[in-house]
Amino acid sequence: MKVLTEKGIYRLLMIIALSAIAMLLLIVLFILKEGLPFIFITGIRDFLLSSEWKPAAGKFGIFPMLVGSLWVTLGAMIVGVPLGLAGAVFISEFIPRWAMKIIKPTIELLAGIPSVVYGFIGVMVLAPLIRDYFGGPGLSIAAGAIILGIMILPTILSISIDSIKAVPNSYREGAFALGATHWQTIHMVVIPAARSGIVAGIILGLGRAIGETMAVIMVVGNAVKLPGSAFDSVRTLTANIALEMGYATGKHREALFATGVVLLVIIMVLNYFAASAIKRGVKK
Amino acid sequence: MPKIIKVKQLDLYYNQFQALKSVNMDVDNNNIIGLIGPSGCGKSTLLRTLNRMNDLIEGVKIKGEILLDGVNIYSSQMEIYELRKRVGMVFQRPNPFPLSIFENVSFGLKVERFTDKKKTAEIVEKSLQAAWLWDDLKDKLNESAIKLPLYQQQLLCIARLLAVEPEVILMDEPCSALDPIATMKVEELMLELKKEYHIVIVTHNMQQAARISDLCGYMLLGEMIEFGKTSDIFTNPRDKRTQDYITGRYG
Ligand SMILES: Nc1ncnc2c1ncn2[C@@H]1O[C@H](COP(=O)(O)OP(=O)(O)OP(=O)(O)O)[C@@H](O)[C@H]1O
Ligand SMILES: [Mg+2]
């Protein structure tokens, strides 16, 4: 009897797990089915590297969006990575335990703020500031980079803090016993020991930055053109899909799915790197 | 050349708890000093006062003096980072850094911002040789140190110290993670090293203390019950409590 119920539960969990995987697989297959044929018909080169996106004229080149996504994401990393790394080192190495108990949940809370709120702050506060001080439309790469940089901070921070905290104390003692200062100990032993975790955190943050849609739509201006500076408006891949999916039909709709395929590939490649970074850390 | 160590009336508190009670200890010449005593009697604590590792623990208070060649190591005359270079430490669990073998041995030089590459390589070789590792490891200096077998890791931790030429080497149960054959090797190495360094070793293993130490201290509940020549302590102890311990009547 008991064996039966255990087997039953095992089967039930198995079915639930498999159906979750199956759903994911179906989504991926669906996107590929809708998008891939279009890419092959247009030609990968034309699709990725042509700068003309004129759905009405049947021209579908996503190069400006690729460049837009690239710059906004790169900018987000420039803002988020140094802040995240410095913050993680400071929080995990210098702050007393009681303060840590307050800060850690706060960071997790930060991760839970809806992206539309970040976007709203970007539109109301950041964009006008940029417009006033640097010119241009304000809604720009710079605005997107700063907002996204802040949005990915919780990811980078919490994963980096965890991996720095997981560095055995015996390493720190060994360094101190050789006369190293606290700072030397951190950058010569602790950070190298936590590196794979930190890299994984950064890559996951990167993935989040590329995939983010709502906040980006609100702050980057969404102009389909190649940007001339950080204060120009751009459109990202995600924004392209979200903005046009509502009314797209026929070839246009397929082109948007194809944009989705490109995003999917980018995210999968990033996740692969994150996973292998984590695995390398475990093996050590 | 090794210097004279004097511990005078040393008290140490972990917050309210007194872990060392007016400990005295006097060491000159090249010697291996063994510290023995039951678990929790304060051996590690005493050892860690000698290179001020206890300073890293919150709530530690220290009274009394430790003189290294006449200078109180807790006074402002002694810089703590300098002290830790002069008084090196080997830990109970081998703790090589998760870096390459070469980087482990050259770590202390990097800490001192020593940049001469050629000289560094020479020192690394010399230190590995002194720790009897050179022949085994010379072809894999760039491999990760934490993949080595445990006893080589422990020898590497010793080599890592030798590279900065300390005056005193502190060892806290350096063999407790090692098998008997590796333990013998480390003991032989210590006898070799004592020609140039003071060694203070904490050990649970009374035979080990009897085998290798010249001076020996028996500690109990934070007190140094007896400190003197190893041969005296083991054959002719002055204190009844020491006698009980070495004849196995205590715990
Ligand atoms: N960080 C600490 N905070 C508070 N008490 C401590 C701390 N470290 C050690 N103690 C206490 O101080 C006493 C001496 O500890 P110590 O580690 O020096 O003993 P030991 O002789 O090395 O023991 P063992 O043989 O088990 O290693 C013990 O009672 C221990 O509980
Ligand atoms: Mg101990």
Side-chain angles (χ1 to χ4, degrees), chain B residues 14 17 19 37-46 57 173 202 204:
Chain B
Y14 292 114
F17 174 74
S39 199
C41 68
K43 305 180 297 286
S44 300
T45 303
L46 175 60
I57 300 169
E173 305 189 34
V202 165
H204 251 122

Side-chain angles (χ1 to χ4, degrees), chain B residues 195-250:
Chain B
K195 290 176 191 158
E196 297 194 45
Y197 306 94
H198 273 311
I199 297 175
V200 184
I201 175 175
V202 165
T203 174
H204 251 122
N205 179 335
M206 265 190 287
Q207 282 81 28
Q208 184 171 51
R211 272 197 304 267
I212 59 169
S213 69
D214 305 297
L215 295 174
C216 191
Y218 170 61
M219 296 183 69
L220 185 62
L221 296 172
E223 282 182 75
M224 183 70 86
I225 301 295
E226 190 165 348
F227 185 79
K229 280 219 172 73
T230 303
S231 50
D232 289 345
I233 298 248
F234 279 91
T235 56
N236 190 14
R238 269 177 283 123
D239 198 289
K240 173 89 170 46
R241 289 167 291 181
T242 317
Q243 187 171 16
D244 286 351
Y245 185 69
I246 57 166
T247 52
R249 248 171 285 170
Y250 184 105

Side-chain angles (χ1 to χ4, degrees), chain A residues 97 170-182 184-185 187-189 192-193 283-284, chain B residues 48 51 53 56 81 84-85 87 89 91 95-99 107 110-111 113 146 160-161 164:
Chain A
R97 217 167 299 147
S170 65
Y171 291 165
R172 294 187 184 84
E173 285 199 320
F176 282 128
L178 284 165
T181 61
H182 197 167
Q184 282 176 322
T185 303
H187 83 94
M188 290 167 68
V189 177
K283 248 190 244 153
K284 263 195 190 167
Chain B
R48 291 163 61 93
N51 67 342
M53 284 301 274
L56 299 173
Y81 304 113
R84 290 189 183 140
K85 279 168 205 159
V87 182
M89 186 162 214
F91 297 82
N95 61 347
F97 304 123
L99 307 170
F107 189 89
K110 220 171 135 195
V111 164
R113 301 197 171 75
I146 46 184
R160 177 171 84 179
L161 286 186
V164 290

Side-chain angles (χ1 to χ4, degrees), chain B residues 9 16 23 41 45 58 61 66 69 107 135 155 169 186 209 217 219 222 230 233 248-249:
Chain B
Q9 300 288 330
Q16 307 307 323
V23 169
C41 68
T45 303
E58 254 173 84
K61 274 198 303 287
I66 298 178
D69 234 22
F107 189 89
D135 292 336
L155 291 180
I169 299 177
V186 172
M219 296 183 69
T230 303
I233 298 248
R249 248 171 285 170

Side-chain angles (χ1 to χ4, degrees), chain A residues 209-225:
Chain A
I210 291 183
E212 175 52 42
T213 312
M214 181 45 98
V216 170
I217 289 180
M218 292 170 78
V219 300
V220 296
N222 303 314
V224 186
K225 64 175 188 0

Side-chain angles (χ1 to χ4, degrees), chain A residues 65-129:
Chain A
M65 277 72 94
L66 258 183
V67 172
S69 272
L70 192 83
W71 280 120
V72 172
T73 308
L74 195 76
M77 300 319 276
I78 291 172
V79 174
V81 170
L83 276 180
L85 204 58
V89 166
F90 182 72
I91 291 167
S92 41
E93 288 285 319
F94 292 96
I95 275 184
R97 217 167 299 147
W98 62 265
M100 182 84 176
K101 279 201 191 116
I102 303 171
I103 290 175
K104 199 83 206 292
T106 312
I107 293 172
E108 267 138 37
L109 198 72
L110 223 58
I113 296 177
S115 53
V116 67
V117 174
Y118 283 101
F120 188 64
I121 293 171
V123 172
M124 301 308 286
V125 182
L126 195 60
L129 275 179

